[in-house]
Amino acid sequence: MTPRRLILASPALLLLPPPQPARASAEAMAAALRAFTGGAAVTHGRVTLDISPLVENGNTVPLSVIMPSPMTQAEHVRAIAIFNERNPQPHVVSARFSPHSGQAMLATNIRLATSQTIVAVAALSDGSFWSDSAQVIVTLAACLEG
Amino acid sequence: MARVLINIPRQIRAGETFAIRTLIQHGMESGYRPDGAGGVLARDIITSFTASFEGEEVFGLELSPAVAANPFITFSMRVQGSGTLRLRWRGDGGFDQSEVRQIIVT
């Protein structure tokens, strides 16, 4: 290529995406979710995921999950897991509950590498799975800057 | 020993559900941050948290690098009488810390 051709071609090079650090993807999240449910069907509803839709600082994002349940030996929430789409790993936290929990509730602070979808999945003692998801926009990302 | 804050309600009634808020001082190094020499800083996080009342597990949590520094964990519990609550955090590099609190039913 002549120098002139190179100059003409350079805008195309600029359009190439910059190299990205390792990220989880929608498929990685789906795989992590399958590992949690064992392939069982997940119904949307009953569990409530509470997270701010617009986050200024991805380093500390308050998140809470609650699922109404009588929490008796016969009928209780066994576990709730939280997954994300675009952090380096799809798994965020997974909680175990018992009838002594009184209610299936969890609150913590998480990190978000970028704007993405968060999914909460609850596992009930009767073997059913319920989920809720939330879209979050992050203006300052976590994890990846030095 | 990492600093720990544990908030338990002052008044607890038998059979009533109440929330316990905990915070532990820990950097939660994710294992993805560059160290300035071309590598990455090794992962150093808390990986598990358990709360047990009178020796029986009430609540357990598995943590990943996606949990923010100084992990803040709120959970709920229900008791029929007074007893001992043991909270335990375990993590990378053999991190293991337990705190014991009395739950007094009024």
Side-chain angles (χ1 to χ4, degrees):
Chain A
M1 243 188 252
T2 63
R4 185 168 173 273
R5 288 262 166 86
L6 259 181
I7 290 163
L8 286 173
S10 58
L13 292 175
L14 290 176
L15 290 176
L16 289 174
Q20 289 283 323
R23 285 274 166 85
S25 60
E27 298 86 67
M29 181 170 82
L33 217 149
R34 262 199 310 280
F36 178 70
T37 61
V42 180
T43 319
H44 189 90
R46 288 182 66 181
V47 57
T48 308
L49 172 64
D50 188 15
I51 186 166
S52 166
L54 179 68
V55 172
E56 205 153 287
N57 183 353
N59 280 305
T60 315
V61 185
L63 166 148
S64 70
V65 201
I66 191 158
M67 177 155 187
S69 163
M71 295 305 272
T72 58
Q73 203 64 45
E75 187 186 358
H76 62 270
V77 179
R78 283 193 299 115
I80 292 181
I82 316 275
F83 301 100
N84 73 78
E85 216 168 22
R86 316 252 331 249
N87 275 8
Q89 290 175 17
H91 176 245
V92 181
V93 287
S94 43
R96 294 185 302 276
F97 299 97
S98 75
H100 303 290
S101 300
Q103 64 175 337
M105 183 270 275
L106 157 76
T108 188
N109 291 337
I110 68 165
R111 288 172 173 149
L112 292 175
T114 181
S115 303
Q116 54 185 306
T117 307
I118 312 294
V119 177
V121 184
L124 266 64
S125 54
D126 66 4
S128 64
F129 290 89
W130 299 82
S131 79
D132 189 16
S133 62
Q135 288 276 349
V136 184
I137 294 169
V138 180
T139 47
L140 172 67
C143 314
L144 305 170
E145 74 269 19
Chain B
M1 287 284 274
R3 276 186 59 187
V4 171
L5 291 174
I6 300 167
N7 180 293
I8 300 169
R10 281 221 182 90
Q11 296 232 312
I12 295 164
R13 287 196 195 88
E16 198 177 67
T17 301
F18 57 97
I20 294 191
R21 295 184 290 164
T22 71
L23 189 121
I24 185 163
Q25 194 174 42
H26 193 287
M28 293 294 277
E29 186 56 60
S30 68
Y32 293 100
R33 283 200 313 148
D35 62 359
V40 289
L41 291 160
R43 192 185 91 160
D44 181 11
I45 65 165
I46 290 175
T47 51
S48 96
F49 168 78
T50 53
S52 35
F53 183 72
E54 295 291 292
E56 213 174 324
E57 185 177 281
V58 172
F59 175 81
L61 190 70
E62 302 302 320
L63 292 80
S64 77
V67 175
N70 303 327
F72 163 78
I73 301 165
T74 300
F75 64 95
S76 65
M77 61 185 286
R78 183 166 61 188
V79 296
Q80 298 306 326
S82 301
T84 310
L85 176 70
R86 173 184 283 271
L87 305 175
R88 188 175 183 194
W89 292 261
R90 274 171 292 177
D92 293 335
F95 185 91
D96 191 339
Q97 186 165 341
S98 292
E99 294 285 331
V100 174
R101 294 287 186 280
Q102 294 304 314
I103 300 289
I104 296 150
V105 169
T106 49

